[in-house]
Each structure stands twice: as C-alpha cells, then as structure tokens.
C-alpha cells in the first residue's frame, strides 16, 4: 500500500507539472461532427468520420443513455455531418449510422416540449433549434423533436445579437457562434486562434471566413483546431474536444481537489503548486478569471481561484468575486438563464476561507438540497456527487463543530453493492472519489459510531477502486456539462487519484493539510 501511495503521489505531481499546455479534454462528438460538417476536405477526414461512427450507441443515438437530456445535440450534429460522407470509402456505414440516428431521434421524447430543464446543456436555446432547422432543410418533414420551449429563448438571444456589430474576444456568446453566426466580422479569433474557446464555433467561423479570403485569420483558426485536436489525445486529426483551452479551469480545479482530499499542503507537490499559484496570482485581475486566459471571467472560476490562492497563503481581493453578485447570490456569467448551485457553493467556500460574510449564500446552498439532504440540481456537472462533496466542504469551512447527519446517511445509503458510487447505471471512479471527499470532511466531527460506518464504507470503496486502478490510465466517462457531456481528463484524473490516495490512507489520523500526511 505504501508503494502504491508513493506511485499515486508521483503521478499527481506529474499531472500538476503538465498543466502548461492549455489543458487535456476528452474528444467531443458534437464538436467533431460540427467541425466535419464545416470542413470542405471530407476525404481528408476519413479517420475522424470513422471515429464519429464508432461512438454511436446501439440505440442509434450518441451520448450516454444514462443521461438522455444530453444526447440530442451530439446526435443531431452527427446526423448532419454524416450527410456529407458520400465520398468516403465506407459511405455505406455512414448511411446506416444516419438511418439509425433518424430512427433514434423520431423515438425520443422531447425534453423541451413544454419547458427548459434547469440543467440544460450550454447554449441549448441557440444550438438545438439551429440543428433542427438544418436537419429540416436537409431531410424533409420527418417527425423529429422540435424543442418548442427553446424557440422564444433563441429569438430573444438573436434580437440582442442583432444589435451588436462585433462581440469582444472571449465573450460567452462566442462559445456558441456556430449556432448563430454567419458574418465573420461579428467575431475575431483570440490570441489562441479560437472563437470562444470552442472548436465547433471556430470551425464554423473559419468556413465563413474562407469565403471572404480572410487568409491570416483562417490560418490562426487552423492552428487552433490542430492544437485542440491534440488536446484530446485521440491521435486522430479532426477529432476535437468540447472546449479548449482550459488553462485556468484545469489547474484551479486540480488544486481545489487536492484540498478536498487533504493533499493541498503535501510536500510532494510543493514545487508544482507554487508554480501554479504564482500564475493564478498574476492572472487574477479586478474582474476575476474565466476558464481560459482569453475567455470572459466568471464567478465559478474566480471563486475557486480565490480558494486555492488563500489556501496557499496569498491574500487575494474578494472584489473580483463581488463583481458577479446579485444580492446574496452569484451568477456564473452576467445574463445567464438560471443560477448555478455549484457556483454559489464555490462562492460560499471562497467567502468563508477569506473570512467574509456569507449568510445569504450559505442559506441559498442549504435551501438547494433535495429531501435526502444532498445536492442534485446542478448545471455544470451531471452527477449529484460533485456538488454534494463541494457543498459539504464549503459548509464545514471554518465551522469546527459542523455536522450533517442527513448527508452522511444519504451518502452511505447511496453506496452501490460493488462499493462505488454513481449517478448513472454504473459506479465511476470520479464519483466514488467525490463521495470519499465528502466523508473526509464529515469524519472529522462525527461520533465514534458514525466514524465506524464511514470507515466500513471507505474500505468497500477502496476494494472497488483497487480492482479498477491502472497507473496513468486516462478517464473515459464524460460527466461534465457543456454543449454535451464531456470529460476534462486531467481534472478528473486528479480527482480519481486523490480519492484513491485518501482511501488508502484512511486509517491514519494526522491532518494532511498541516503536516503533509494522510487523514
């Protein structure tokens, strides 16, 4: 076990030291399909088309059947891309996949028939009606879902966009440019060459700019798309991620995760953490931070950055977070459709770490539990275990006697027979790690009987994790909410390894935050 603990620490240190390449994100069906659709070189993208077809599920759709709300965008996009696959050698496979996709979409209930779910994918109000319109013009009057509840939201967005000649680089609406943009002048590639840190938006903008002979700018977009493709580690040119770069989000969340596991101050990471903290400190301005250097600031990334900076002994100004306050709550981006529970959880954590008043934010977080005492109405992550672990850490911050019997009972009850946790049909390593982070906080103030129950649950989880752990294995399960579900692979792998390390060291009762050892 000691050898494995040291191996985990070494791998975590390596992951932290890699976080200067823009970030690692798993491949996206939606963005790959949109990029293929906008790319004039169909025959040069044979491998990417083959990859796209290989991702189709047995029922004809794309995306996990466990989370049907997030399947429409990738399935629509894949279907549209496959309409251009005639020149390929395996065009028959593409045609079969397209027919299966049509049958899938015709069978699917429309989740936007009457209202818009709180956890709808990013840009759904712009993207899904646009995909429907494109499919209608290509495929005729098939009985597809039409998403009527999204139409007034789309129209309202388009009216506002009609009054804007050019959006500033990094504006949040540029992330969905492929769903509304037609004039290249409405956007300009950022310093990385992207339109809104989105491969789909960048590919669409590039296609429109090509018609106007905008060669230098097109070349920058090409360079971005190639770099984004490399970030997927798929080895297939043209397969791209859902979002990239994530050169703020990735290090911020990774350090925050180390804190949740009691590993933030571990001496094994001192040098790597120091480098990341120095970068964040230099980058944090009065308006906060966004997920990437050249994207708009948001409350979520700003709050987590404030947390990790304070944990590292810096004294960041809370004013960067107050910029996103609306009363006692915080919006992720100004003008967002609905508030994010996890953004407010992170804001609460930052305020408490910084010693600032947070009564209203705390009340909001408490009020957003479900009847079991857990948090399950989150818009940035599909699993209830993610906001629950983070909420427990935030609520316990600075409260030595804090206890939560309801959450403990619900977490114990939710453990599967195999020893893991998961919001879908199977346990996942990532979600099991979140459960362990929650137990790490709760265990510190529990009665002996409660601590015994936690230890038993952790022992079962450890057995499950050990049976599935492989050194340097890349996470595969997309649980983070973007335009579809996606996987920020390094962020997730840090969580998985930190959770396994925590489980391995559970029997030791020395605080890692102060002494660099296990709990």
């Amino acid at each position: 076990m000691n050898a494995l603990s040291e191996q985990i620490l070494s791998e975590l240190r390596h992951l932290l030291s890699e976080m200067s390449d823009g970030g690692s994100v798993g491949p996206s069906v939606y963005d790959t399909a949109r990029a293929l659709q906008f790319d004039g070189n169909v025959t040069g993208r044979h491998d990417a088309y083959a990859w796209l077809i290989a991702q189709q599920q047995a029922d004809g759709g794309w995306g996990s059947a466990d989370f049907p709300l997030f399947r429409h965008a990738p399935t629509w996009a894949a279907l549209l891309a496959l309409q251009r696959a005639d020149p390929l050698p395996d065009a028959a496979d593409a045609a079969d996949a397209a027919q299966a996709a049509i049958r899938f979409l015709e069978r699917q209930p429309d989740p936007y028939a009457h209202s818009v779910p709180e956890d709808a994918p990013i840009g759904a109000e712009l993207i899904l009606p646009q995909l429907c319109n494109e499919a209608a013009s290509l495929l005729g009057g098939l009985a597809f879902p039409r998403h009527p509840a999204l139409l007034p939201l789309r129209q309202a967005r388009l009216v506002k966009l009609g009054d804007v000649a050019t959006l500033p680089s990094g504006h949040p609406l540029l992330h969905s440019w492929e769903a509304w943009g037609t004039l290249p002048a409405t956007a300009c590639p950022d310093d990385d060459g992207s339109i809104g840190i989105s491969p789909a938006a960048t590919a669409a903008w590039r296609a429109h700019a090509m018609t106007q002979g905008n060669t230098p700018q097109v070349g920058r977009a090409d360079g971005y798309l190639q770099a984004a493709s490399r970030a997927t580690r798929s080895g297939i040119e043209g397969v791209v991620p859902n979002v990239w770069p994530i050169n703020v989000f990735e290090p911020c969340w990774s350090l925050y995760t180390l804190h949740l596991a009691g590993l933030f101050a571990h001496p094994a990471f001192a040098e790597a953490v120091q480098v990341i903290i120095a970068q964040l400190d230099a980058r944090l301005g009065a308006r906060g931070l966004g997920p990437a250097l050249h994207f708009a600031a948001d409350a979520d990334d700003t709050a987590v950055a404030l947390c990790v900076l304070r944990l590292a002994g810096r004294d960041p100004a809370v004013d960067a977070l107050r910029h996103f306050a609306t009363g006692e709550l915080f919006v992720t981006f100004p003008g967002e459709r609905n508030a994010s529970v996890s953004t407010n959880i992170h804001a609460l954590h930052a305020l408490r770490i910084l010693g600032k008043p947070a009564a209203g934010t705390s009340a909001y977080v408490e009020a957003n539990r479900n009847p079991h005492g857990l948090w399950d109405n989150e818009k940035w992550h599909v699993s209830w275990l993610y906001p629950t672990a983070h909420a427990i850490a935030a609520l316990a911050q600075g409260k030595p006697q804090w206890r939560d019997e309801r959450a403990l009972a619900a977490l114990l009850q939710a453990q599967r027979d195999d020893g893991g946790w998961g919001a879908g049909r199977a346990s996942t390593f990532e979600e099991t790690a979140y459960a362990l982070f929650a137990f790490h906080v709760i265990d510190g103030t529990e009665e002996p009987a409660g601590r015994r129950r936690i230890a038993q649950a952790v022992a079962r989880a450890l057995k499950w994790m050990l049976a599935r752990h492989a050194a340097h294995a890349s996470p595969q399960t997309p649980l983070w909410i973007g335009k579809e579900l996606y996987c920020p692979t390094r962020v997730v792998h840090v969580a998985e390894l930190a959770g396994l390390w925590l489980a391995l060291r559970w029997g030791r009762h020395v605080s890692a935050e102060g002494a660099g050892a296990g709990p």
Side-chain angles (χ1 to χ4, degrees), residues 72 107-115 128 144-150:
H72 287 84
R107 291 193 306 267
Q108 286 301 294
D110 189 345
Y112 307 97
H114 307 292
S115 61
L128 288 175
F144 290 137
R146 298 295 180 184
H147 314 315
L150 294 173

Side-chain angles (χ1 to χ4, degrees), residues 35-259:
L36 289 172
Q37 187 183 351
F38 292 120
D39 193 332
N41 182 19
V42 175
T43 55
R45 290 287 183 260
H46 175 268
D47 289 346
Y49 273 101
W51 177 87
L52 184 67
I53 293 169
Q55 308 313 305
Q56 189 173 31
Q57 303 296 315
D59 61 6
W62 277 261
S64 170
D66 287 351
F67 307 107
L69 181 62
F70 305 97
R71 305 190 72 189
H72 287 84
T75 301
W76 281 118
L79 173 60
L80 289 167
L82 292 172
Q83 302 307 304
R84 304 183 67 241
D86 285 348
L88 295 175
D90 47 4
D93 291 341
D96 290 344
Q99 287 303 312
I102 289 171
R103 292 192 295 271
F104 170 83
L105 286 167
E106 288 180 325
R107 291 193 306 267
Q108 286 301 294
D110 189 345
Y112 307 97
H114 307 292
S115 61
V116 181
E118 289 289 302
D119 57 346
I122 289 176
E125 71 278 12
L126 288 167
I127 292 169
L128 288 175
Q130 175 67 18
L131 292 171
C132 288
N133 290 340
E134 292 180 32
S137 65
L138 275 175
L139 302 169
L142 296 171
F144 290 137
R146 298 295 180 184
H147 314 315
L150 294 173
L151 299 180
L153 297 178
R154 175 178 168 84
Q155 189 56 38
R157 289 281 193 197
L158 293 179
V159 167
K160 288 184 178 180
L161 286 165
D163 297 331
V164 178
T166 304
L167 286 174
S169 179
H171 191 285
L173 283 173
L174 292 178
H175 189 63
S176 302
W177 194 90
E178 77 278 9
W180 61 268
T182 54
L183 298 174
T186 59
C188 181
D190 60 28
D191 287 356
D192 290 315
S194 87
I195 301 297
I197 62 174
S198 165
T202 305
W205 182 91
R206 177 193 177 280
H208 287 291
M210 285 279 286
T211 65
Q212 299 185 4
N214 198 340
T215 307
Q217 298 283 59
V218 166
R220 291 174 59 207
D222 282 336
Y224 164 79
L225 290 168
Q226 290 164 9
S229 182
R230 289 193 296 271
T232 67
R233 309 295 193 268
S234 68
I236 303 172
E237 189 174 354
V239 172
V240 292
N242 192 247
V243 57
W244 192 84
I246 53 170
N247 45 16
V248 175
F249 166 76
E250 183 180 84
C252 272
W253 257 251
S254 296
L255 294 192
Y256 187 71
T257 293
L258 293 185
H259 170 61

Side-chain angles (χ1 to χ4, degrees), residues 83 92 225 296 375 391 402 444 497:
Q83 302 307 304
L225 290 168
W375 289 261
W402 180 87
L497 290 169

